[in-house]
Amino acid sequence: MNEVRIKLNQLSKEYGENHAVKPFDLEVKKGELFCFLGPNGSGKTTTIKMMTGLLEPTNGTVHISGVNMWKEALEAKKQIAYVPDQPKLYPKLTGSEFLQFTASVFRLKEEEFEERAERYVRMFQLEHRLDELIETYSHGMKQKLSLCAALLHEPKVLFLDEPTVGLDPKGARTMKNLLQELCRGGMTVFMSTHILEIAEQMCDRVAIIKNGDLLTVGTVDELRQEKGSEDSSLEDLFLELTGDRETQSYVQEMEDYPSKGIRE
């Protein structure tokens, strides 16, 4: 039986009367590349922050490889890494200094740090920019540096929030290939994304959330069977499940309206 790396039990978050995330259960196993999908403001980032120990849940529990995130936080956080959509880096450090600082936090041996840092830095073609201050980096470069730092201690679970935002096509392809390689090696990747094509091509399973309510979890084929539509793309399924298909049809009508008016 595959080891469960992430286990959520009745996890929820409330702000007064606002239910940002409604109670739900979820398990993600070792080696899975799991995609978390939803419209803007649906609760994706809030959920990830609860899972990574950055935001305390109103109710429910988060376990990482059997360790309770909120009762044994230090032990749980040793097993994870998190790359947010807007990397929070130290602007007055160079890229090299930031990587060295990260390695010191996780008490990596010098040879481990050098081997891993060189591998990931070369992979994302950052080796010629490491001596420059982070404040001079583009958003895409900061994303790449954050991912390099996140992987230094070889986490069991990697959380990524919109990881391809700001990346050029080559960087996005490199990340895609790397994530698939890491999962084959046994790492679990939990990724939120708004690019449905990436989710359909890469992920073993997807979850769709809207207004804090987890609507469905499964493989793309399972979602197709659930909706009785074997030929549907993930985009079609997403629009149908989130109720946005009607909105899309309306937008298309508005786009066509001017040309109709001219013909008439």
Side-chain angles (χ1 to χ4, degrees):
M1 181 179 293
N2 289 338
E3 176 187 344
V4 175
R5 284 284 174 82
I6 303 171
K7 182 177 178 63
L8 311 182
N9 180 251
Q10 290 299 288
L11 188 70
S12 68
K13 184 63 181 178
E14 300 172 10
Y15 296 99
E17 296 183 357
N18 177 30
H19 295 265
V21 176
K22 300 171 185 177
F24 73 95
D25 298 334
L26 180 67
E27 289 187 359
V28 183
K29 296 182 178 179
K30 177 181 178 180
E32 265 199 279
L33 207 169
F34 191 94
C35 276
F36 203 37
L37 310 176
N40 290 337
S42 60
K44 300 190 302 295
T45 298
T46 298
T47 300
I48 289 178
K49 285 185 175 180
M50 289 191 288
M51 295 166 70
T52 54
L54 295 175
L55 183 64
E56 187 171 4
T58 302
N59 290 295
T61 57
V62 176
H63 285 84
I64 305 295
S65 293
V67 181
N68 189 306
M69 175 59 74
W70 291 95
K71 289 186 177 179
E72 302 174 78
L74 185 58
E75 189 60 34
K77 289 181 180 181
K78 288 179 182 178
Q79 303 184 60
I80 71 169
Y82 172 44
V83 179
D85 58 340
Q86 296 291 332
K88 303 294 191 296
L89 306 177
Y90 298 100
K92 296 302 182 182
L93 292 182
T94 66
S96 179
E97 288 170 341
F98 178 73
L99 292 177
Q100 291 171 349
F101 167 73
T102 304
S104 70
V105 170
F106 289 98
R107 299 179 179 178
L108 293 184
K109 296 178 181 178
E110 186 65 26
E111 58 270 23
E112 290 177 331
F113 163 66
E114 291 179 356
E115 178 185 347
R116 296 170 192 174
E118 182 178 3
R119 178 191 177 203
Y120 296 123
V121 164
R122 285 188 177 279
M123 186 177 293
F124 285 106
Q125 298 182 325
L126 291 174
E127 63 268 31
H128 301 302
R129 304 292 299 273
L130 285 183
D131 291 332
E132 299 176 19
L133 294 178
I134 292 173
E135 65 183 5
T136 68
Y137 285 13
S138 67
H139 178 79
M141 288 177 62
K142 291 176 182 177
Q143 284 285 92
K144 294 174 184 178
L145 183 66
S146 294
L147 185 57
C148 291
L151 294 173
L152 288 177
H153 69 289
E154 297 187 338
K156 290 184 177 180
V157 182
L158 176 63
F159 292 96
L160 302 170
D161 196 358
E162 299 289 357
T164 56
V165 172
L167 293 182
D168 56 32
K170 184 175 182 180
R173 172 61 65 88
T174 299
M175 177 174 288
K176 173 184 171 181
N177 293 339
L178 173 60
L179 295 181
Q180 291 176 325
E181 177 188 338
L182 293 171
C183 288
R184 286 193 295 270
M187 188 179 296
T188 297
V189 174
F190 189 102
M191 176 176 72
S192 79
T193 181
H194 67 283
I195 304 177
L196 300 179
E197 182 182 1
I198 288 178
E200 187 165 16
Q201 291 177 353
M202 292 176 58
C203 293
D204 298 306
R205 287 192 300 153
V206 300
I208 297 178
I209 187 172
K210 181 184 181 183
N211 296 329
D213 192 11
L214 192 67
L215 302 178
T216 189
V217 180
T219 65
V220 175
D221 285 341
E222 288 170 345
L223 267 57
R224 290 188 180 116
Q225 293 173 9
E226 180 182 320
K227 304 306 294 184
S229 182
E230 295 183 2
D231 297 326
S232 294
S233 67
L234 180 57
E235 180 180 20
D236 293 330
L237 296 167
F238 177 83
L239 293 174
E240 185 172 349
L241 285 164
T242 58
D244 284 345
R245 185 177 295 282
E246 184 176 338
T247 302
Q248 291 295 110
S249 298
Y250 175 74
V251 169
Q252 187 61 54
E253 286 181 14
M254 293 301 292
E255 289 176 347
D256 294 341
Y257 179 77
S259 58
K260 288 180 181 179
I262 291 171
R263 289 197 298 270
E264 293 171 356

